Amino acid sequence: MRPAEEIRHHLGGLLLLARGDARGLSHFDISDEGVIGSFRALLYCLPAFLFSAVLWRIAFLQVLPDAGRWHIVFVYQVLVLNVATWGAVLLSASLACLALGLRPLARPLIVMLNWGGVALVHGGYLLLLPLFLLLGGSTLWLWLVRLAVLASALAGLLAIVWPVAHTVIGGPRWRRIMIVATTLLLPWWVSRTLEMSMGLNIPYG
């Protein structure tokens, strides 16, 4: 299957699941080969990761000179941050399933998160990130606009993730809340921690 067809096939399955149609599960191979093969999604995201790293470097230099760090080092650090965040999402979902006694769900969630990440990365890094960096600045209204953009993006993400979780996980609402919250919040914490430790955060003021 060609990359574009493969991506469309899996995203089509996610759309079915978001509509409450359990037939979307048939779009995902949860065998050993299917789980391993789903990591091809990460390769499909590398151009978007690289594009975002270059944009991030440009925005960073507009605030700080950062003369002691080569461009290639900064870009490499951003790529490491992106891949680490991706891994944290998968690990968080797996740990949540194990903690709740839902071990069989770990495989399908890993596969779905991998392929769903393709759409999330391209939408976030090719559309949202440039807009967010364009709104750089320390004024109050720019800070409020960035907050509004971030809140809108999070609301949109939850509007897609929640119905998928309802179809795939089922059961009590608190269980879905625990898995979704862990999968979103723990990687966010890991990402922010790495960003600060590697000196990648842009201090707008």
Side-chain angles (χ1 to χ4, degrees):
M1 189 180 297
R2 295 179 180 178
E5 296 174 351
E6 187 173 36
I7 293 171
R8 281 199 301 270
H9 175 74
H10 291 101
L11 293 184
L14 288 174
L15 286 175
L16 286 174
L17 293 172
R19 295 170 184 165
D21 190 341
R23 289 178 298 178
L25 289 170
S26 64
H27 288 236
F28 302 97
D29 181 1
I30 60 172
S31 66
D32 290 342
E33 294 79 6
V35 173
I36 294 173
S38 71
F39 283 89
R40 284 194 301 273
L42 186 59
L43 297 178
Y44 298 152
C45 291
L46 286 180
F49 283 154
L50 183 59
F51 177 74
S52 72
V54 172
L55 283 184
W56 198 325
R57 181 56 171 169
I58 293 172
F60 191 94
L61 291 176
Q62 291 177 347
V63 179
L64 291 174
D66 199 27
R69 179 165 43 179
W70 292 356
H71 299 322
I72 188 66
V73 172
F74 187 97
V75 169
Y76 172 76
Q77 288 178 316
V78 174
L79 291 176
V80 169
L81 172 64
N82 289 331
V83 174
T85 302
W86 187 295
V89 171
L90 302 180
L91 180 60
S92 299
S94 300
L95 290 177
C97 289
L98 291 175
L100 295 173
L102 301 173
R103 185 175 179 179
L105 273 177
R107 275 175 175 259
L109 286 182
I110 288 173
V111 175
M112 284 185 279
L113 286 169
N114 273 334
W115 290 114
V118 177
L120 183 61
V121 164
H122 284 82
Y125 288 179
L126 300 184
L127 298 176
L128 183 60
L129 181 61
L131 175 61
F132 203 80
L133 295 177
L134 184 65
L135 296 171
S138 57
T139 62
L140 177 60
W141 77 269
L142 282 175
W143 183 86
L144 290 174
V145 171
R146 288 199 298 271
L147 183 62
V149 170
L150 186 60
S152 299
L154 181 58
L157 177 61
L158 287 175
I160 297 173
V161 169
W162 185 252
V164 172
H166 178 76
T167 305
V168 176
I169 300 171
R173 179 175 296 182
W174 66 266
R175 189 167 65 184
R176 300 195 298 274
I177 292 175
M178 288 291 295
I179 293 178
V180 171
T182 302
T183 304
L184 293 178
L185 295 179
L186 186 57
W188 175 83
W189 178 80
V190 169
S191 176
R192 290 295 295 168
T193 301
L194 289 175
E195 185 180 321
M196 296 291 290
S197 65
M198 291 191 289
L200 298 174
N201 58 303
I202 302 176
Y204 284 125

